[in-house]
């Protein structure tokens, strides 16, 4: 029997990043383990701040052949030379975003715990669908994306799926057979040593 491929790591940046230190930190994490993609999940809407952060992170990512997408800022994704966009509004803007960014861009969609939104996003052209939080986390409205959602999705739907929000080694062990990616962010950036924190999580796979 073929064992499923190990899930890949989808790295999510902190909401605010210090340009003096974060790019180096990001580089160390990328050098320590294989990362499939990075999401710039920056808070606020100041375009100048976002652009500076995006430029710095893009240089680090692209130097290592890692794709980088940005949360929600569709027009900035194009302007800043990023690889695509991650949408937080379920399936609502997937189709328009795909049209705007073209076939080669990465378009992902966060669908909370709604398989219906996930399927619609996939039909509308999303490259992946993210469900979460899977653990206790400040994401969303307090609903949790349960293991059976991922189990069902991985058996029935071909669109790759991301598990994110409140991940622990136990949850990773539990979900690894049923997800394509783990969206890891605050779980490592809140620690003194993000590289070691990430290793603890990837070891659980």
């Amino acid at each position: 029997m073929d064992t499923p491929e190990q899930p890949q790591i989808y790295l999510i940046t902190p909401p605010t990043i210090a340009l003096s230190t974060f790019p180096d930190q990001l580089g160390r994490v990328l050098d320590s383990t294989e990362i499939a993609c990075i999401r710039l999940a920056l808070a606020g809407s100041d375009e100048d701040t976002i652009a500076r952060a995006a430029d710095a992170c893009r240089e680090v990512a692209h130097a290592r052949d890692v794709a980088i997408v940005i949360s929600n800022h569709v027009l900035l994704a194009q302007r800043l030379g990023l690889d695509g966009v991650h949408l937080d509004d379920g399936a609502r803007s997937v189709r328009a975003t795909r049209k705007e960014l073209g076939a080669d861009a990465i378009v992902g969609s966060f669908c909370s715990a709604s398989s219906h939104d996930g399927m619609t996003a996939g039909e509308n052209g999303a490259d992946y669908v993210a469900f979460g939080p899977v653990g206790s986390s400040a994401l969303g409205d307090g609903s949790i994306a349960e293991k059976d959602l991922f189990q069902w999705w991985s058996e029935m739907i071909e669109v790759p799926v991301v598990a994110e929000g409140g991940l622990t080694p136990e949850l990773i062990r539990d979900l690894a057979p049923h997800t394509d990616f783990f969206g890891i962010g605050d779980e490592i950036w809140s620690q003194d040593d993000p590289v070691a924190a990430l290793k603890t999580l990837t070891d659980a796979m």
Side-chain angles (χ1 to χ4, degrees):
M1 229 176 92
D2 287 333
T3 49
E5 280 181 44
Q6 212 177 1
Q8 294 178 287
I9 301 300
Y10 178 7
L11 204 60
I12 303 166
T13 69
T16 50
I17 64 181
L19 285 179
S20 53
T21 55
F22 184 74
D24 290 345
Q25 207 178 33
L26 179 62
R28 281 202 297 278
V29 170
L30 295 185
D31 291 337
S32 76
T33 186
E34 201 170 316
I35 303 292
C37 185
I38 299 166
R39 178 195 313 162
L40 285 167
L42 303 169
S45 53
D46 179 56
E47 289 197 3
D48 190 46
T49 307
I50 291 172
R52 283 212 300 274
D55 282 341
C57 293
R58 187 197 64 235
E59 277 182 28
V60 174
H62 283 177
R64 293 162 176 82
D65 283 334
V66 178
I68 183 164
V69 302
I70 191 167
S71 287
N72 302 320
H73 296 283
V74 177
L75 299 175
L76 280 180
Q78 282 183 304
R79 217 171 64 221
L80 299 171
L82 306 175
D83 299 292
V85 74
H86 171 86
L87 304 167
D88 281 328
D89 61 355
R92 279 193 287 285
S93 40
V94 171
R95 184 170 283 156
T97 302
R98 170 61 70 206
K99 208 168 142 185
E100 179 70 41
L101 295 181
D104 292 339
I106 298 169
V107 176
S109 167
F110 178 74
C111 295
S112 190
S114 167
S115 59
H116 174 77
D117 277 1
M119 288 193 294
T120 308
E123 284 161 13
N124 289 350
D127 292 298
Y128 68 82
V129 165
F131 293 122
V134 292
S136 49
S137 147
L139 271 179
D141 55 8
S143 60
I144 297 261
E146 304 281 356
K147 177 180 171 179
D148 55 7
L149 170 60
F150 291 95
Q151 213 161 355
W152 173 84
W153 186 274
S154 63
E155 286 166 17
M156 305 300 289
I157 312 285
E158 288 193 355
V159 177
V161 64
V162 181
E164 65 177 70
L167 286 163
T168 61
E170 295 70 40
L171 281 165
I172 284 185
R173 207 168 292 128
D174 215 24
L175 289 169
H178 311 296
T179 190
D180 300 289
F181 299 94
F182 283 112
I184 293 175
D186 186 53
E187 293 91 344
I188 66 167
W189 305 123
S190 61
Q191 305 300 310
D192 292 336
D193 183 350
V195 169
L198 181 58
K199 186 171 182 340
T200 303
L201 292 174
T202 52
D203 283 352
M205 291 197 262

